Amino acid sequence: AALFMDGARKGSVVSRANSIGSTSASSVPNTDDEDSDYPQEHYKESYKDQRRRAHTQAEQKRRDAIKKGYDDLQAIVPTCQQQDFSISSQKLSKAIILQKTIDYIQFLHKEKKKQEEEVSTLRKDVMALKIMKVNYEQIVKAHQDNPSEGKDQVSDQVKFNVFQGIMDSLFESFNASISVTSFQELSACVFSWIEEHCKPHTLRDIVIGVLHQVKSQLY
């Protein structure tokens, strides 16, 4: 009987130890599985953070570029620098900067067209003067090649009278067409007068009229 009781006690102790061991073993977490899953989860979170950070940086660069563009426009466009007194203490909005920029571009286009027209007019005047220069050079050359031709046929006084009559006739139209208020207005009037009163047929008519007048005085 004593042996049976000792055996029973030992069995009870062993069973308890086994149950405690199994319970402890079951309560211990599976560190191998979790260790194998943790790096992958950490990598995923890190990749998301990197994409989020890259997107944030790209968005910030875009906003900085836009801000710099508006600052450059405000510095370049003169009308953005000449603010009204009512808004001089306020910062110009993007809409105002854009509108002023558009207006300034349209102004530049008009000025460019106006300058192109002025350049075209000046080129025509230069061409006309070149033609006159060539004609005068031909006249001078013809006189140099034949210095005796026409000698003693017309006196210097008659030549001067013809020249004076031509100049007087031209001065009448010149004086009526020219304004000396400013140099710019004077230049414009001179070119207009040349185009209107110094055409070949007009000059021919003036010379013919002066010659008739001088002839009537001589005879």
Side-chain angles (χ1 to χ4, degrees), residues 141-168:
K141 187 176 183 302
H143 283 287
Q144 290 176 348
D145 294 341
N146 301 290
S148 61
E149 183 178 355
K151 188 176 181 181
D152 298 333
Q153 292 184 2
V154 180
S155 65
D156 291 340
Q157 183 62 40
V158 173
K159 293 178 182 178
F160 178 76
N161 291 338
V162 172
F163 175 77
Q164 184 179 14
I166 294 173
M167 292 299 102
D168 289 342

Side-chain angles (χ1 to χ4, degrees), residues 162-175:
V162 172
F163 175 77
Q164 184 179 14
I166 294 173
M167 292 299 102
D168 289 342
S169 178
L170 289 175
F171 180 75
E172 290 178 1
S173 61
F174 180 84
N175 189 40

